[in-house]
Amino acid sequence: MRTSCPSMARKMFLAAFLLFSISLICVGQTAWTPELEMKVKAVGAVRVSPDGKKVAYTVSGPVMTPEKSEFVTQIWSANTDGTDAVQLTYADKSSDNPRWSPDGKMLAFTSGRSGKTNLYVLRLVGGESEQLTDVKSAVGNFAWSPDGTRIAFVMREAPSEEEEKGNKGKDDWKWIDENVKLSRLNVVSLAKDANGKREPRTLTKEGNIEGDFDWSPDSKRIVFTRTRMPKADYWTTSDLSAVDVTSGAVKTLVATNASESSPAFSPDGKWISFLVSDDPP
């Protein structure tokens, strides 16, 4: 007997239809209004802890005061059975993208509370979160090293003084795909240097680093996707490279006429999987 894909599709459709019908019953078939939307909090960025016992997630809700009208996101944690839900962040600005440290004792996240989107770490034994970076641009995608000593992150080049002045004065118009800013791969250590500071190191200098990258299991290398420019039509130039985190030496791994992306190391570090487009893309 052959399995019928349409049969499965019908079951999925019926399940979705039932859920939609139940939702209408629950709200008494009331029209969806801005006032009703304000009462619904959105949950996202769900991350399970390494030991599988806890989950970190974000909750977004409206903040309406005489001085403020915006949605603010805060980070929460709970047991995976749904008990002991606790709010972890309380800043006026949003905290987002929680990521567990490999040992499960800390959470790294991004927040714009300093005026720019920076990296923060929060130790779950208690205390305030600690700011790891002080960037002039904004931290994008990031990931812990498997040994838990460093965090790699993607960051776009900082705006010029003239652009920064325009941004502060709300004169922030721009031509799309002109004066583009390249994104670089950076790494910052959790341990402070002799001067008591944490200075991020830029690992890549050529090309534009896309958001997808992956640490090797031994924390010595990072494989990443690189394009020539961060323009809409340049995804076809996407290739794979790897960088030695200690020396900063970059090695091209795959560079064909096709577009390569989404690299990931195997658990033993001997293989890398990735996606390949048609050739030509």
Side-chain angles (χ1 to χ4, degrees), residues 29-187:
Q29 295 184 346
T30 301
W32 187 252
T33 63
E35 290 78 13
L36 184 58
E37 182 176 1
M38 288 296 207
K39 298 179 181 179
V40 178
K41 294 184 177 181
V43 175
V46 181
R47 302 279 178 176
V48 179
S49 63
D51 62 6
K53 295 181 179 180
K54 288 186 173 293
V55 60
Y57 57 97
T58 59
V59 178
S60 300
V63 175
M64 303 289 292
T65 67
E67 296 80 22
K68 185 180 296 186
S69 176
E70 60 184 277
F71 280 86
V72 175
T73 301
Q74 302 292 0
I75 297 173
W76 289 63
S77 73
N79 295 329
T80 48
D81 62 2
T83 60
D84 294 335
V86 177
Q87 184 174 339
L88 300 178
T89 62
Y90 291 87
D92 291 337
K93 294 294 182 180
S94 291
S95 301
D96 213 337
N97 303 317
R99 306 283 177 89
W100 294 92
S101 61
D103 61 7
K105 295 181 179 180
M106 291 183 286
L107 280 172
F109 63 93
T110 56
S111 176
R113 63 184 69 175
S114 66
K116 302 290 184 180
T117 302
N118 275 289
L119 269 176
Y120 294 78
V121 289
L122 177 65
R123 289 167 174 79
L124 299 181
V125 294
E128 297 289 335
S129 58
E130 185 177 6
Q131 185 174 334
L132 283 186
T133 61
D134 185 13
V135 301
K136 295 182 179 180
S137 179
V139 171
N141 186 34
F142 68 93
W144 287 87
S145 62
D147 62 10
T149 62
R150 292 158 292 181
I151 296 178
F153 62 94
V154 175
M155 183 175 65
R156 185 162 294 180
E157 292 174 322
S160 64
E161 291 185 6
E162 184 177 352
E163 290 170 332
E164 188 70 21
K165 183 179 179 180
N167 291 335
K168 291 181 179 180
K170 304 302 181 183
D171 182 22
D172 52 1
W173 65 272
K174 62 181 178 181
W175 292 106
I176 298 299
D177 282 354
E178 288 191 11
N179 297 321
V180 295
K181 303 294 184 182
L182 300 180
S183 293
R184 310 296 189 192
L185 185 62
N186 303 264
V187 65

Side-chain angles (χ1 to χ4, degrees), residues 206-227:
E206 297 181 359
N208 177 69
I209 308 305
E210 296 298 323
D212 49 347
F213 65 88
D214 192 38
W215 283 89
S216 63
D218 60 7
S219 300
K220 293 181 179 180
R221 295 171 295 161
I222 299 175
V223 60
F224 57 90
T225 303
R226 178 169 56 183
T227 58

